[in-house]
Structures are given as structure tokens and as C-alpha cells.
Amino acid sequence: MNDAMDEDVYFKKVVTFRAWKHSLQFRVSQDLFSSHDIDLGTKLLLRTIIEADYDRPQKVLDIGCGYGPIGLTLKSVFTSALVHMVDRDALAIEYSRQNAVLNKLTDVEVYGGLGYDDLKTAEFDLIVSNIPAKAGESVISYLLKESVYYLAHNGVVAVVVVKPLEQFVEKVLENTPPISVLLKRTRPGHSVFHYQFAGKPPVPQPDRSAFERGVYDRASSEFRVGNLKFPIRAAYGLPEFDSLSYGSELAMRALQNLPNPIVQRAAIFNPGQGHLAVAVWKLFRPERIVLVDRDLLALRFSRLNLSLNECPDERVVVSHQSGLTLTNEDEADLFVIRLREESRDANNMVVKQTSKKLSKNGIILVSASSTAITRLIDDLEGIFSVRSRERWRGNSVLILVK
């Protein structure tokens, strides 16, 4: 194992998966789906594909690949196939790439994307997905039906869903006339569907992406905190779609109480729907706003909501990554960091990474649970000075300076 993998603050353990005379190992992270073991839905989906009497696929697409159990297992079985693996989570992409190397699998392309919007190619013989339960019905319907535009002739789609989604998926497939269901298999907790499309797509492929067409849109709301008032378009699969969390509200009030800082450049880590990014824009009007997140959906909705609140697009930069390394940016005067409840080491790493890019009189605002903030203060002693700390309902906001 190389040094970069050994120093990975997100790493939990290595899982061994034995399937069809193949033994694969997967590095997993606590912060990714199914970190304990390969989940039962994935195992069921793989079993139905391997046992089906289909032609051996030459091009495979794994949508929402996670750390790679579906796409990499299929690559190990169908050795001549070119496998594309796509996920909206940058950490999942990193782990899938690591696991391809770990298992010495080549002809595997792993990259970030939302559904089919960012694919590098089409004409796949097999499209597979373990569809997330919280994706939202509009997104699930899109994934099921618009696979037709990315399939080769006689290509097959194979998906697994949790049991509560079974009837919805069945209804979508039944009400889409070109679809022919080849297989349905149900086990406690999960259902698998294999299907094909008869002939050419019934309508031309849309000329706009699913994101642009509003497939991911959930609601539009107006938010008010203190003197701030702003609209937000919210997405399925992201929190705070109709109300702010206590942590976000506390952070927004803390931003309003900052003593007139000069903010030319700001960076927001884990912006979610974009509430805090919009607050920074409305309060300080920086020349540059850098949005940093693992989640590509969060980045695109945050940028969308900045535009909705009249922030010029040319002032916004997005960085799809798991940490907070700003390699190509100047120093920032303000960092706004919303910590996920992941490992203590990961939280420490994210805040420490700001030290190289914080301007001389810059400020770091960190929002997290009070427990995480207390640990952070202990761990960062001697690196930053604590200017203030505010607490509310189990949440804290910390203001740090050099």
C-alpha cells in the first residue's frame, strides 16, 4: 500500500469479497455507504447479472459506484469489458480508484457525475445501479427511463432498490411502453429488475441536462435569519430543503455579527443547498467565492442559488474534492466550514488545511456539533487562536484566527 493510502484519514478497514472464483479487496470509509461489508442489495444484483444468460458486455456503466463493489466485481468477471464508474461523491471516486489499483484492474474509468449528465461516452452493453432510497422519485424515474439514450443495441439495465421503492419502480417500468422487463427478483429488503428497450427511443434525447431540466429540484423557499432574506431552490438528496438546521442558523447569525471584516475572497466548505454561501455573498460581496464539497449535487445547487441571488457566475469557483486544499486559489479572507460528523482526524485535517491559504487578517468560521467543536479546540491548540465560541441546542460556532 502506498503512503497516500496509509495516511488516509477517511479509511476504516479492508473488506474481502469472494464471488464467482474471484476474491476482491475493498478499502472502505466510514463515511461511505455500506462501510461494514458489501451490502445485501449489491450482492443480490451481482448474482442476478452473473447468473443471467446475456452476452458478455464489452462496455459497462456503474451509476453511483460508491467505493466500487459492483463495477469492479463485474470487471473481474468480464475481464475484457471497459467499465465506467460514476458517482457524485468525490470520496467515493477516490476509493473506487484506489480499489481498482488494489485489485490490479485496468480499463476502468472512474469520475464524478450526476446521473447521466457527465458521461464521457455511451453505447453501454450493461448499465447497473444500486439506486439510493433517498434519491427522490423524479430522479429515480429519470435514471430508469433515460438509460435508453446510453445503451447499445440490445443493451440491458440492471438495478436494485430497497423494498419500499419496489412498487414505484415497477410502475415506472410498466408505464414506459418501450421497456421490456427481463427479470424481477425479490428478497427480504431488496428487489432487482433487469430490463431492455424495444427499438429506438420513443422521443429524442433532451438537449439539456437533467440538472438543467430541474430533475433534481425539490422545493423553492424563502429563508429569513436576522436581517438576511433570500430565496433558495432546494434539491432532493440534500438536507435543509425547507428549513435551516440549528447549526446553519447559528452560523448565519455569527456571520452577521462579525466586526465589519473586509472579505475579497471567501471559501465555503460543505455548502449544502447553498444557504451559507448566499449569506456570505449578501453580507460581504466578495470578488471570489470558492465552493468546496465532496458532493457534486451540493456544488451545483449552491452555485445555482448564488446566481439566483444575483451573484455573477464569474465570481464563483467550484472544487469537487473531499478535503479543503485550494491549490490554484489565492489566499482567502474568510473560510466558512460546516463539518460533517465523520472522524475526528478528518475534521482536524479540513481545518488545518486552511492555515496555508488564510490571509493575514483572515477569519475561519467553523460550524459543527458542540462535541466536535470541543475536540477541535483541543486538537488545534497552538495552530489557531479562538476569537469566540457560540452554542445553541447542541451546536457550536467557532471563530478562529491565526
Side-chain angles (χ1 to χ4, degrees):
M1 195 67 62
N2 63 39
D3 291 341
M5 290 184 181
D6 291 340
E7 297 170 1
D8 184 358
V9 296
Y10 299 100
F11 174 71
K12 179 181 179 181
K13 64 178 182 178
V14 174
V15 170
T16 299
F17 181 43
R18 294 180 177 85
W20 302 279
K21 299 180 182 180
H22 300 267
S23 181
L24 290 89
Q25 290 188 311
F26 294 96
R27 287 171 54 84
V28 300
S29 167
Q30 180 67 46
D31 210 37
L32 291 175
F33 172 69
S34 192
S35 65
H36 175 68
D37 197 0
I38 309 299
D39 75 289
L40 295 177
T42 290
K43 291 178 179 178
L44 177 61
L45 177 63
L46 286 168
R47 186 180 306 116
T48 61
I49 294 170
I50 303 302
E51 292 176 354
D53 189 24
Y54 304 138
D55 293 337
R56 294 178 69 85
Q58 295 303 304
K59 286 179 71 175
V60 176
L61 172 62
D62 180 1
I63 290 286
C65 62
Y67 56 77
I70 298 176
L72 296 180
T73 299
L74 291 175
K75 174 61 185 178
S76 73
V77 175
F78 304 121
T79 55
S80 62
L82 171 64
V83 178
H84 281 237
M85 300 168 60
V86 178
D87 203 291
R88 74 187 219 197
D89 188 334
L91 188 62
I93 295 164
E94 292 173 17
Y95 270 73
S96 280
R97 287 173 177 165
Q98 290 179 17
N99 288 326
V101 173
L102 182 63
N103 291 284
K104 299 178 180 174
L105 296 172
T106 58
D107 288 331
V108 176
E109 292 199 37
V110 188
Y111 49 96
L114 286 182
Y116 306 115
D117 281 357
D118 304 279
L119 293 183
K120 296 180 178 180
T121 185
E123 296 291 313
F124 292 99
D125 304 300
L126 176 63
I127 296 176
V128 296
S129 185
N130 185 339
I131 296 178
K134 297 181 180 180
E137 290 187 355
S138 61
V139 177
I140 294 170
S141 179
Y142 149 72
L143 291 174
L144 295 172
K145 295 194 290 188
E146 295 199 18
S147 56
V148 65
Y149 302 117
Y150 305 93
L151 281 171
H153 179 65
N154 290 329
V156 174
V157 182
V159 300
V160 61
V161 295
V162 293
K163 192 67 174 177
L165 290 177
E166 177 187 354
Q167 289 187 346
F168 174 76
V169 171
E170 198 162 39
K171 183 177 178 181
V172 171
L173 298 181
E174 287 178 353
N175 293 337
T176 307
I179 288 179
S180 173
V181 176
L182 306 175
L183 176 145
K184 177 187 174 185
R185 186 170 300 176
T186 300
R187 293 290 183 271
H190 295 88
S191 294
V192 165
F193 296 86
H194 295 191
Y195 61 95
Q196 286 181 314
F197 290 84
K200 295 182 178 179
V203 295
Q205 184 173 355
D207 57 4
R208 296 189 300 156
S209 70
F211 178 82
E212 292 169 332
R213 286 180 279 137
V215 167
Y216 294 90
D217 286 14
R218 180 169 188 167
S220 294
S221 303
E222 186 172 83
F223 291 81
R224 294 171 181 259
V225 177
N227 295 323
L228 284 172
K229 182 176 71 172
F230 53 88
I232 288 288
R233 275 177 59 185
Y236 280 103
L238 296 177
E240 301 182 289
F241 62 90
D242 62 352
S243 62
L244 289 174
S245 67
Y246 293 132
S248 291
E249 185 171 343
L250 183 61
M252 206 168 292
R253 292 187 184 279
L255 284 170
Q256 294 180 73
N257 292 331
L258 290 177
N260 299 318
I262 298 174
V263 179
Q264 294 296 320
R265 293 171 297 278
I268 294 88
F269 177 77
N270 188 17
Q273 307 276 9
H275 306 89
L276 291 177
V278 170
V280 167
W281 162 247
K282 284 187 162 292
L283 289 168
F284 309 118
R285 290 295 199 269
E287 291 298 319
R288 179 64 59 90
I289 297 180
V290 184
L291 305 173
V292 185
D293 204 305
R294 286 167 38 186
D295 191 340
L296 196 57
L297 185 64
L299 290 173
R300 291 187 178 169
F301 263 82
S302 291
R303 183 166 202 160
L304 175 71
N305 282 314
L306 282 168
S307 180
L308 183 63
N309 284 276
E310 300 180 346
C311 177
D313 288 344
E314 61 269 18
R315 295 196 186 191
V316 183
V317 176
V318 298
S319 182
H320 189 213
Q321 58 173 287
S322 55
L324 187 44
T325 304
L326 304 183
T327 54
N328 297 319
E329 291 298 318
D330 295 330
E331 291 182 333
D333 306 303
L334 174 65
F335 281 94
V336 177
I337 301 172
R338 297 173 66 240
L339 292 178
R340 290 182 170 90
E341 296 305 313
E342 51 195 20
S343 79
R344 183 171 180 171
D345 288 342
N347 287 341
N348 290 343
M349 179 197 72
V350 166
V351 179
K352 285 178 181 177
Q353 285 174 331
T354 66
S355 64
K356 296 180 179 179
K357 289 292 184 177
L358 185 65
S359 64
K360 182 179 179 181
N361 297 311
I363 295 171
I364 304 168
L365 184 152
V366 186
S367 172
S369 70
S370 291
T371 299
I373 291 293
T374 298
R375 290 171 177 167
L376 193 67
I377 292 172
D378 291 340
D379 295 338
L380 298 182
E381 186 176 359
I383 302 174
F384 298 106
S385 297
V386 177
R387 174 178 287 185
S388 66
R389 176 180 181 175
E390 297 180 44
R391 298 176 175 87
W392 187 40
R393 298 189 178 187
N395 297 273
S396 286
V397 165
L398 193 65
I399 304 296
L400 300 172
V401 294
K402 281 186 177 179

